[in-house]
C-alpha cells in the first residue's frame, strides 16, 4: 500500500512540474493544483498510514495521529483560495494583454517565412 501511495504522490508531482513549465496560464494553474494535491497526500502520509484506528483518544488502544489530518484540511482551504486567486489573476492577464501566455508575448512561429519574404529578389 505504501508503494502505491508513494507512486501516486510521485506521479502527481511530476505531472504538476510538467504543467507548471508550460507557456500558457491555464496549464500552470492546473500544475499548481496537482502539486498542492501531492503535498496534501504527502502531509497526510506523514501521520503513518493505518487502518481501523480511531482519531480520538479513549475509544481504542491505538489511535491515528490527528495532526496531519488538521494540516491537510488547512492546506485544502488555503489551496482552494490560492487557486481562485491565480485563476482570477490569469483571467485579468488575458483581458489586459490579449493572450494567455505566461510572459505576455506570443511566440513567433512564422519567423522563417518572414525572413524569406523580406529578402530582395534579384
Amino acid at each position: 500500500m505504501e508503494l502505491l501511495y508513494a507512486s501516486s504522490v510521485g506521479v502527481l508531482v511530476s505531472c504538476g512540474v510538467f504543467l507548471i513549465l508550460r507557456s500558457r496560464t491555464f496549464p500552470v494553474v492546473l500544475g499548481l493544483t496537482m502539486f498542492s494535491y501531492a503535498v496534501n497526500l504527502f502531509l497526510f502520509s506523514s501521520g503513518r498510514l493505518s487502518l481501523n484506528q480511531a482519531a480520538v483518544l479513549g475509544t481504542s488502544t491505538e489511535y491515528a495521529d490527528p495532526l496531519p489530518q488538521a494540516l491537510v484540511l488547512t492546506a485544502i482551504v488555503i489551496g482552494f483560495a490560492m487557486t481562485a486567486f491565480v485563476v482570477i489573476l490569469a483571467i485579468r492577464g488575458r483581458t489586459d494583454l490579449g493572450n494567455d501566455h505566461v510572459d505576455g508575448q506570443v511566440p513567433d512561429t512564422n519567423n522563417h517565412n518572414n525572413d524569406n519574404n523580406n529578402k530582395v529578389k534579384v
Side-chain angles (χ1 to χ4, degrees), residues 96-115:
D96 287 349
L97 299 173
N99 60 31
D100 65 340
H101 287 274
V102 176
D103 60 355
Q105 298 176 357
V106 179
D108 187 21
T109 57
N110 296 327
N111 193 12
H112 301 292
N113 295 336
N114 291 338
D115 291 340

Side-chain angles (χ1 to χ4, degrees), residues 2-20 30-39 41-42:
E2 287 85 7
L3 180 64
L4 177 65
Y5 201 83
S7 62
S8 65
V9 170
V11 166
L12 280 173
V13 167
S14 62
C15 290
V17 168
F18 176 76
L19 288 172
I20 286 173
L30 286 178
L32 286 172
T33 304
M34 291 182 104
F35 197 71
S36 70
Y37 288 159
V39 170
L41 286 175
F42 177 73

Side-chain angles (χ1 to χ4, degrees), residues 3-115:
L3 180 64
L4 177 65
Y5 201 83
S7 62
S8 65
V9 170
V11 166
L12 280 173
V13 167
S14 62
C15 290
V17 168
F18 176 76
L19 288 172
I20 286 173
L21 297 175
R22 306 309 305 165
S23 66
R24 297 200 177 248
T25 56
F26 187 68
V28 171
V29 172
L30 286 178
L32 286 172
T33 304
M34 291 182 104
F35 197 71
S36 70
Y37 288 159
V39 170
N40 289 344
L41 286 175
F42 177 73
L43 284 175
F44 192 69
S45 69
S46 68
R48 293 192 203 136
L49 299 174
S50 58
L51 299 173
N52 298 328
Q53 291 184 354
V56 180
L57 294 176
T59 58
S60 68
T61 58
E62 296 180 7
Y63 65 94
D65 189 12
L67 183 63
Q69 297 172 14
L71 287 174
V72 168
L73 183 60
T74 305
I76 288 171
V77 171
I78 293 171
F80 179 73
M82 287 304 297
T83 302
F85 175 73
V86 170
V87 166
I88 296 300
L89 193 65
I91 290 171
R92 177 65 190 253
R94 174 150 173 92
T95 58
D96 287 349
L97 299 173
N99 60 31
D100 65 340
H101 287 274
V102 176
D103 60 355
Q105 298 176 357
V106 179
D108 187 21
T109 57
N110 296 327
N111 193 12
H112 301 292
N113 295 336
N114 291 338
D115 291 340

